[in-house]
Amino acid sequence: TLPPKGAFKLNCDGVVMAGSRAACEGIIRDHHEAFVVAFSCKIRLCSVVQAELWIVYYEIKLAKDTRLFRDLFVESASTITINFLDVECNKH
């Protein structure tokens, strides 16, 4: 689904391969689904949940650095990651 007008959406994914080597990638698009920014990176040894959390961290940092942070919606296939972010965001 598209984010509201004027907002941005982060779609992200993390993967752990044999030997626990991990990688993550993400893309930010606007409310027209137009590409804004993306990245991918290798992560040290970690679990799948940690890889998913790293991708969200990197993309939020990128969104903040590019001043897109104010209206950013995060979408992930990891229910654990989304639940964690929901709890953490509602604490503040």
Side-chain angles (χ1 to χ4, degrees), residues 67-80:
R67 299 180 186 203
L68 302 174
F69 189 72
R70 64 192 179 284
D71 294 314
L72 182 67
F73 291 77
V74 177
E75 184 173 284
S76 169
S78 171
T79 304
I80 293 170

Side-chain angles (χ1 to χ4, degrees), residues 4-78:
K5 186 176 181 179
F8 299 90
K9 185 172 184 182
L10 157 63
N11 291 91
C12 54
D13 195 21
V15 63
V16 176
M17 298 162 272
S20 296
R21 292 182 163 258
C24 60
E25 62 186 6
I27 183 169
I28 295 177
R29 296 182 191 158
D30 66 13
H31 67 276
H32 295 293
E33 261 190 302
F35 172 84
V36 177
V37 66
F39 90 99
S40 65
C41 68
K42 293 179 183 177
I43 308 171
R44 296 181 185 166
L45 302 179
C46 67
S47 71
V48 173
V49 173
Q50 289 170 319
E52 292 283 346
L53 290 171
W54 274 116
I55 183 65
V56 173
Y57 167 79
Y58 286 130
E59 280 287 354
I60 289 174
K61 184 177 180 333
L62 181 62
K64 184 178 177 186
D65 292 346
T66 56
R67 299 180 186 203
L68 302 174
F69 189 72
R70 64 192 179 284
D71 294 314
L72 182 67
F73 291 77
V74 177
E75 184 173 284
S76 169
S78 171

